[in-house]
Amino acid sequence: MTVTRCSPSLALLLVHGLSVSVLLASADPPGFLSLSCGGSTSFVDSGNNISWVPDGPYVTAGNATAANFVQGGSTSQLPLRFFADSGPGSRACFRLPVGNLPLVLVRPRFVYGNYDGMHRPPVFAVSLGRAIAGFVNLSQADPWVEEFVWRREKGAALPFCLHSVAGGGSPVISSLEVRPLPEGAYGTRLQEFGDNLLRKRFRINCGYVDDEPLRYPLDYHDRLWDADEGFSPSHLAAAFHIPVSFDLTGIKENPPASVLQTARVLARKTALTYNFPLDKLGDYYVALYFAGIMPVSSSFDVLINGDVVHSDYTVEHGKVGSIFFMGKKIESLNITFRNNSFYPQVNGIEIYEVLEVPVECSTTTVSALQVIRQSTGFDFGWEDDPCSPKPWMHVGCDGNLVTSLKLSDMDLGAITPTFGDLLDLKILDLHNTSIAGEITNLGTLQKLEILNLSFNKLTSFGSDFNTMVSLQILDLHNNSLEGAVPDGLGSLNYLHLLNLENNRLHGVLPQSLKKERLEVRTSGNLCLSFSSMCNNFSNHPSIPTPQVTVFDMERPLHSNRKTVIIAIATIGSVCFAILLILLAMIVQRRRRKEDDVISRTSREMQRWSAARIFSYKEIKAATNNFRDVIGSGGFGSVYLGKLSDGKLVAVKVRLDKTQLGADSFFNEVHLLSQVRHQNLVSLEGFCHESKQQILVYEYLPGGSLADNLYGSNSKRATLNWARRLKIAVDAAKGLDYLHNGSNPRIIHRDVKCSNILLDAEINAKVSDFGLSKQVLQVDATHVTTAVKGTAGYLDPEYYATQQLTEKSDVYSFGVVLLEMICGREPLSHVGPPDTYNLVLWAKPYLQADSFEIVDENIKGAFNPESMKKAASVAIRCVERDASHRPTIAEVLAELKEAYSIQLTSMSSEAT
Ligand SMILES: *[C@@H]1O[C@H](CO)[C@@H](O)[C@H](O)[C@H]1NC(C)=O
Ligand SMILES: *[C@@H]1O[C@H](CO)[C@@H](O)[C@H](O)[C@H]1NC(C)=O
Ligand SMILES: *[C@@H]1O[C@H](CO)[C@@H](O)[C@H](O)[C@H]1NC(C)=O
Ligand SMILES: *[C@@H]1O[C@H](CO)[C@@H](O)[C@H](O)[C@H]1NC(C)=O
Ligand SMILES: *[C@@H]1O[C@H](CO)[C@@H](O)[C@H](O)[C@H]1NC(C)=O
Ligand SMILES: *[C@@H]1O[C@H](CO)[C@@H](O)[C@H](O)[C@H]1NC(C)=O
Ligand SMILES: *[C@@H]1O[C@H](CO)[C@@H](O)[C@H](O)[C@H]1NC(C)=O
Ligand SMILES: *[C@@H]1O[C@H](CO)[C@@H](O)[C@H](O)[C@H]1NC(C)=O
């Protein structure tokens, strides 16, 4: 049942169009907001002096109109706003400025009044915050009034939305009122039940007989109190109205004196019962008010649905009391006041339906989606929570988890690391989104079942499929995938559809894909089959045409050489052949014939640097035919090698069948040849023969910081706080050199624990410059570039703006520091959603100097001052706003101090 009486303010709304102008500054109590929906002028209700304003500033959608309203035989115009039905699922929202109010009453009034002449009253749903608050069916009552009590969570504006339902017509509303309620009101028992929203079902002023509800100014909070005559056997009890004044201290709900001064009092019978039809199974919250207006004290039992909830309840003259009760899973309600010694009585009753407020999405998910929205301008339809009250457009949810995301027919350009933050995704559809290059940044999506990347410009598989263990359907048709199909796809145990149609793949399909329940579609490729008929396809001569940006023209060649060259050049481009010969000449001096396939690129690279060029044969010998793997990842594998002079080296064989990563290969060789620093891994040389991309580094036997942090327990244990700080200082030195010491400046772009390597003495060195970028102009503050990096380490501001600065490295380095402090990875599925993202999770603890989240392995074994310093700098590094982050030089200085505090405290303990 809904309160449908016409209140004074409704009457006033009707006439304001007829120029009722009360000149008066608003004297409303603070926080009152009264919106006349579809109205065009402000006015004051002469009945209660409440000020009304047009709703325009609070809503962006809908059309203003007016309905004919018949009252007391005369017809007038009532303004209202309707939202043209744009299909089920569409919504229109008001944003109510509730500021810091702890608790508010929100009272919408919906009127159809046949404004469109169609005689089809609409049905629609309404929501407040994240909760669907109920349905409005204007066939059942017109006007329809609801009152909600909403407890503040956070955020300045409270969304109040009208949602279309299938076949429901256009949602419509005529007024919306916001009234603050006192702090702590109704909270006595409610808070035990977590987040909730109350929907008023009944609010009764017992013993009150007026047709119009009692409200402001009699109720300071402007609640509507109805007469109780409708509620059965009222004739049993007498209505009393005795003007006693009460001390209401302690009753936070602040019931109005006028309500308390009337009561139903049972004089001659044994029990008084109110029956409330609820018509819906749910949880209901009951508030009962008793005030001693009778000259004698009364005493009685209170029963709800037959159970005594308070026996021998006593009401003394001049005193006020209240009883609260939560009825769980009930669908009817009766309240009985049973004679015990004298005069059962009751003054006021409020009954609310308790609406569950859905849990909000994890901050990781919300920020990931916001980043996608900001960086692409993609319209998800609404703001606020992605799953509640209803999921955003293109988003699917299971509870508060975002489990599907479908973006298509837009320009994403690449699969950015943010997609890897949507850890709960089961379905990801990015078809026709212009994504190019490698399939990347999705390796963290371990729950993903359906991945649709069809109709894009993807060129290589990447290595993420190794970890996408739940994948069932992988649709890659109509892309530009090249080369062979990776063997790893066969290890996806649940895969049952692999669509590779219309790509440029060739070669024999891995036998691991030959499975009973797996359908592999291969048509429209160059030559792709399980049989060996495509075996030779990949052996066709193809001339590598790597893209190199730095290239000086050679001096003109001797003319008779030229003729020879042209003869040779029939196999490919003239330029390539010229270089081939040229290289052969130069290299022959140093080496023998074995080197005659060195590409022009290698030749050039040699000119950039002192780095040594290795032949594939040499590499093979040094690594003992690639025997000892010491690392592997998306880039390929790393092998231990021993050069002819006995020096140990790490040989990184890049997995790059399509030559697409060639840029990053050249980039790395180019950069590393220029920079030499004790805290940067040094490049011994490289090999770029035919399609091989091999980098030879100094060998660092200590492994990566990630190996040490997350490897075996013994490794973790040896990594005490002082060592962690030492590693941090070293890595910061390396980065400081890149940012400030080298010329041109270099931004690393992929700072992470697995790129910080340790030597035998636990000196740390930064490695992997494949993504690094030089800042060429002296005064450039940023470089605009496609976003690259690793999920979990990526600077959100860079992501959103694509403007790369040194501060992006600082952010990633901050994540590394947090990992060292907390001993956990930046993204993790373990635990509740709000712990997924290390940065968001750790920040509040560390900001409050609360070290409970420090890695168990170093707990109790660090100097608090040192930890405080390191934690503070880590937190500043991961500030969202890049301008608030320190420079790496500042970070280095702070870390040095933290380190020295730790060392001092250790040596003083030792003495
Ligand atoms: C409204 O304000 C006027 C002028 O201040 C006052 O005379 C009148 O009593 C007020 N009415 C109510 C219902 O408070
Ligand atoms: C509602 O207003 C929009 C513009 O604000 C207009 O295009 C549309 O036709 C209007 N709809 C109706 C049903 O009047
Ligand atoms: C709305 O109320 C009318 C009249 O009671 C009823 O016939 C109709 O089914 C209701 N519509 C919905 C969607 O509940
Ligand atoms: C009140 O509800 C209880 C339980 O639902 C029921 O047993 C009892 O008969 C009801 N009393 C009246 C007066 O309706
Ligand atoms: C109310 O209860 C008292 C004490 O049991 C009893 O004396 C009195 O008669 C009862 N009144 C009625 C109307 O039943
Ligand atoms: C891809 O999207 C564009 C618009 O961005 C559209 O014109 C085109 O038809 C779409 N292609 C497919 C295959 O869906
Ligand atoms: C992937 O999306 C395309 C384009 O909408 C569609 O044709 C194809 O069926 C989808 N693949 C799967 C497996 O659903
Ligand atoms: C998909 O690829 C096939 C073969 O290359 C081509 O005929 C077809 O037009 C492509 N479809 C789209 C929508 O690009």
Side-chain angles (χ1 to χ4, degrees):
M1 233 186 96
T2 310
V3 180
T4 56
R5 285 164 221 266
C6 183
S7 77
S9 71
L10 177 57
L12 220 280
L13 280 169
L14 296 170
V15 276
H16 88 269
L18 312 172
S19 84
V20 171
S21 53
V22 183
L23 294 173
L24 195 68
S26 166
D28 293 355
F32 272 41
L33 176 68
S34 309
L35 303 179
S36 160
C37 302
S40 53
T41 50
S42 300
F43 63 96
V44 173
D45 184 333
S46 57
N48 55 18
N49 285 350
I50 287 178
S51 309
W52 288 81
V53 294
D55 65 343
Y58 304 94
V59 62
T60 50
N63 300 52
T65 183
N68 287 328
F69 201 85
V70 185
Q71 196 184 31
S74 65
T75 305
S76 44
Q77 289 279 299
L78 173 71
L80 48 84
R81 178 179 294 276
F82 69 92
F83 303 93
D85 184 11
S86 31
S90 63
R91 69 175 122 174
C93 298
F94 289 82
R95 307 196 80 80
L96 304 174
V98 292
N100 289 323
L101 300 174
L103 195 69
V104 288
L105 178 82
V106 176
R107 180 166 49 226
R109 186 187 309 269
F110 308 96
V111 173
Y112 170 60
N114 197 26
Y115 72 89
D116 54 1
M118 309 280 281
H119 294 287
R120 285 186 31 204
V123 178
F124 50 94
V126 294
S127 68
L128 206 60
R130 290 193 306 278
I132 288 287
F135 286 86
V136 174
N137 184 344
L138 287 163
S139 302
Q140 288 172 9
D142 184 10
W144 178 298
V145 182
E146 291 279 356
E147 284 188 337
F148 300 108
V149 172
W150 179 82
R151 186 131 43 100
R152 183 189 69 214
E153 289 178 337
K154 59 182 178 192
L158 169 63
F160 170 76
C161 309
L162 283 65
H163 303 254
S164 299
V165 301
S170 301
V172 63
I173 184 169
S174 78
S175 75
L176 189 52
E177 295 162 276
V178 177
R179 307 290 184 244
L181 290 173
E183 176 123 44
Y186 304 109
T188 349
R189 297 251 1 237
L190 259 185
Q191 257 133 23
E192 298 162 25
F193 298 94
D195 279 346
N196 43 45
L197 171 70
L198 302 180
R199 171 180 176 232
K200 187 196 84 176
R201 298 301 302 275
F202 304 96
R203 191 185 297 112
I204 291 168
N205 180 2
C206 303
Y208 179 72
V209 291
D210 204 335
D211 273 350
E212 289 299 333
L214 181 152
R215 61 181 298 185
Y216 183 82
L218 293 175
D219 184 349
Y220 182 75
H221 307 292
D222 196 17
R223 289 163 289 200
L224 301 180
W225 296 83
D226 293 303
D228 70 344
E229 285 172 307
F231 300 98
S232 75
S234 60
H235 60 275
L236 289 175
F240 282 83
H241 181 198
I242 304 173
V244 180
S245 59
F246 297 102
D247 174 14
L248 285 172
T249 333
I251 301 200
K252 304 242 174 63
E253 295 69 30
N254 199 16
S258 333
V259 168
L260 297 177
Q261 284 164 359
T262 61
R264 286 275 164 203
V265 181
L266 192 64
R268 286 182 304 278
K269 292 283 190 299
T270 50
L272 161 66
T273 297
Y274 281 85
N275 277 309
F276 297 100
L278 297 175
D279 64 48
K280 186 177 158 198
L281 185 71
D283 297 347
Y284 292 84
Y285 190 61
V286 178
L288 305 172
Y289 302 98
F290 306 95
I293 57 172
M294 306 299 284
V296 292
S297 301
S298 51
S299 178
F300 49 91
D301 293 338
V302 179
L303 291 83
I304 294 183
N305 281 353
D307 296 330
V308 177
V309 297
H310 209 297
S311 66
D312 217 3
Y313 189 80
T314 306
V315 185
E316 286 174 40
H317 177 74
K319 296 271 166 60
V320 178
S322 57
I323 290 178
F324 295 99
F325 175 81
M326 174 71 96
K328 305 213 85 178
K329 301 227 162 28
I330 55 176
E331 68 191 321
S332 72
L333 181 65
N334 65 44
I335 304 174
T336 300
F337 306 94
R338 189 173 66 192
N339 178 31
N340 220 358
S341 44
F342 321 99
Y343 308 117
Q345 69 158 84
V346 61
N347 303 57
I349 301 175
E350 292 185 79
I351 296 166
Y352 293 97
E353 182 181 346
V354 180
L355 302 170
E356 203 177 313
V357 177
V359 180
E360 58 193 323
C361 288
S362 82
T363 42
T364 311
T365 302
V366 177
S367 59
L369 289 173
Q370 278 168 347
V371 162
I372 292 171
R373 182 212 299 270
Q374 277 168 20
S375 56
T376 61
F378 187 74
D379 183 11
F380 285 103
W382 305 283
E383 289 170 26
D384 310 310
D385 192 86
C387 288
S388 305
K390 293 199 173 156
W392 285 357
M393 294 196 298
H394 309 284
V395 166
C397 297
D398 179 1
N400 68 334
L401 306 178
V402 170
T403 52
S404 97
L405 177 64
K406 296 178 178 176
L407 307 176
S408 60
D409 304 345
M410 57 182 292
D411 191 359
L412 281 176
I415 305 173
T416 49
T418 297
F419 288 97
D421 286 357
L422 296 166
L423 298 173
D424 304 303
L425 281 184
K426 288 187 174 154
I427 300 174
L428 178 60
D429 187 347
L430 299 177
H431 80 265
N432 196 20
T433 50
S434 302
I435 45 184
E438 190 179 77
I439 299 170
T440 177
N441 291 319
L442 298 177
T444 50
L445 304 183
Q446 296 180 5
K447 297 179 189 163
L448 197 66
E449 293 170 1
I450 299 176
L451 177 59
N452 194 341
L453 298 172
S454 57
F455 300 111
N456 279 301
K457 300 170 195 152
L458 291 162
T459 46
S460 75
F461 283 95
S463 61
D464 286 355
F465 293 115
N466 298 338
T467 53
M468 296 163 78
V469 290
S470 309
L471 213 52
Q472 297 177 8
I473 295 179
L474 176 57
D475 192 341
L476 299 171
H477 78 277
N478 279 65
N479 272 284
S480 311
L481 293 167
E482 293 179 344
V485 176
D487 200 31
L489 287 176
S491 62
L492 296 170
N493 285 330
Y494 300 100
L495 196 65
H496 57 78
L497 175 61
L498 173 60
N499 191 343
L500 301 170
E501 283 172 352
N502 300 332
N503 277 288
R504 282 188 252 142
L505 295 164
H506 57 77
V508 179
L509 279 166
Q511 295 303 307
S512 57
L513 289 174
K514 241 183 190 167
K515 285 195 251 188
E516 201 173 317
R517 281 183 298 105
L518 172 59
E519 178 187 352
V520 184
R521 296 188 194 155
T522 57
S523 66
N525 279 287
L526 296 182
C527 182
L528 196 58
S529 141
F530 280 115
S531 77
S532 57
M533 80 184 191
C534 295
N535 211 358
N536 291 328
F537 196 90
S538 55
N539 294 344
H540 285 195
S542 69
I543 297 149
T545 51
Q547 298 295 306
V548 185
T549 38
V550 184
F551 186 67
D552 290 347
M553 273 318 287
E554 251 335 297
R555 266 176 278 121
L557 291 160
H558 199 269
S559 62
N560 59 358
R561 278 274 177 218
K562 236 180 200 163
T563 24
V564 183
I565 292 157
I566 289 162
I568 297 163
T570 48
I571 52 156
S573 85
V574 177
C575 177
F576 173 72
I578 292 172
L579 277 155
L580 207 69
I581 298 296
L582 194 70
L583 284 176
M585 276 166 38
I586 296 162
V587 176
Q588 259 167 4
R589 241 176 281 154
R590 273 205 348 210
R591 258 160 248 163
R592 304 231 114 218
K593 273 225 154 181
E594 63 189 27
D595 285 340
D596 56 2
V597 208
I598 293 174
S599 72
R600 82 169 190 200
T601 325
S602 309
R603 161 70 187 84
E604 269 193 38
M605 290 160 117
Q606 197 196 26
R607 246 194 287 137
W608 298 335
S609 69
R612 194 174 146 192
I613 301 176
F614 291 94
S615 69
Y616 191 66
K617 257 190 179 165
E618 281 176 287
I619 298 285
K620 237 171 127 171
T623 57
N624 211 340
N625 203 7
F626 303 100
R627 214 181 53 188
D628 295 333
V629 182
I630 52 175
S632 64
F635 50 80
S637 297
V638 182
Y639 303 87
L640 182 62
K642 193 172 187 180
L643 300 183
S644 47
D645 61 3
K647 189 170 187 176
L648 288 177
V649 288
V651 176
K652 178 160 144 185
V653 180
R654 289 172 47 110
L655 211 135
D656 186 22
K657 297 202 174 88
T658 60
Q659 287 285 312
L660 266 150
D663 281 353
S664 71
F665 176 72
F666 304 137
N667 194 28
E668 178 152 12
V669 172
H670 183 55
L671 285 177
L672 270 185
S673 318
Q674 296 182 334
V675 294
R676 294 245 160 209
H677 185 270
Q678 58 181 359
N679 298 113
L680 300 175
V681 169
S682 62
L683 184 72
E684 295 292 327
F686 63 94
C687 166
H688 189 249
E689 253 171 53
S690 59
K691 283 188 169 186
Q692 299 290 345
Q693 297 177 0
I694 298 173
L695 293 162
V696 182
Y697 300 97
E698 64 176 310
Y699 174 59
L700 295 175
S704 75
L705 174 56
D707 296 341
N708 283 272
L709 269 180
Y710 309 119
S712 65
N713 286 337
S714 58
K715 267 185 176 169
R716 296 186 79 145
T718 53
L719 212 55
N720 64 23
W721 179 234
R723 283 190 170 167
R724 291 180 196 207
L725 282 172
K726 163 78 164 58
I727 292 167
V729 167
D730 284 351
K733 280 182 185 164
L735 289 176
D736 182 42
Y737 177 78
L738 292 178
H739 289 186
N740 303 311
S742 66
N743 186 18
R745 292 179 283 144
I746 294 169
I747 302 176
H748 185 283
R749 285 221 286 176
D750 204 12
V751 176
K752 56 180 173 183
C753 281
S754 53
N755 281 342
I756 296 174
L757 305 180
L758 308 179
D759 71 8
E761 283 84 47
I762 321 205
N763 296 307
K765 302 188 180 207
V766 177
S767 77
D768 202 337
F769 293 70
L771 296 180
S772 301
K773 200 111 196 156
Q774 285 187 313
V775 185
L776 289 170
Q777 302 98 312
V778 182
D779 51 355
T781 55
H782 66 259
V783 194
T784 303
T785 168
V787 177
K788 294 229 170 81
T790 300
Y793 292 92
L794 194 77
D795 166 12
E797 187 171 295
Y798 164 43
Y799 189 95
T801 62
Q802 313 207 340
Q803 313 247 295
L804 179 70
T805 73
E806 282 95 339
K807 293 288 180 71
S808 299
D809 281 353
V810 171
Y811 181 93
S812 311
F813 187 63
V815 177
V816 170
L817 290 177
L818 289 177
E819 287 184 77
M820 287 199 233
I821 292 171
C822 303
R824 59 155 277 191
E825 286 166 286
L827 293 175
S828 141
H829 304 69
V830 188
D834 277 340
T835 67
Y836 284 179
N837 184 312
L838 172 63
V839 171
L840 299 170
W841 170 69
K843 224 174 180 174
Y845 289 95
L846 298 181
Q847 270 165 342
D849 289 335
S850 164
F851 297 140
E852 63 191 273
I853 57 166
V854 166
D855 188 355
E856 289 298 332
N857 292 293
I858 54 170
K859 243 187 198 160
F862 57 82
N863 173 287
E865 277 310 303
S866 161
M867 178 60 74
K868 210 165 144 178
K869 220 170 184 61
S872 139
V873 74
I875 287 305
R876 282 187 294 131
C877 287
V878 294
E879 280 285 349
R880 211 182 159 83
D881 185 343
S883 64
H884 294 159
R885 293 176 209 151
T887 63
I888 196 69
E890 287 161 350
V891 174
L892 176 57
E894 296 277 319
L895 288 175
K896 277 180 176 166
E897 273 185 48
Y899 183 44
S900 98
I901 294 170
Q902 178 65 25
L903 290 183
T904 315
S905 79
M906 281 159 72
S907 58
S908 63
E909 264 167 39
T911 53

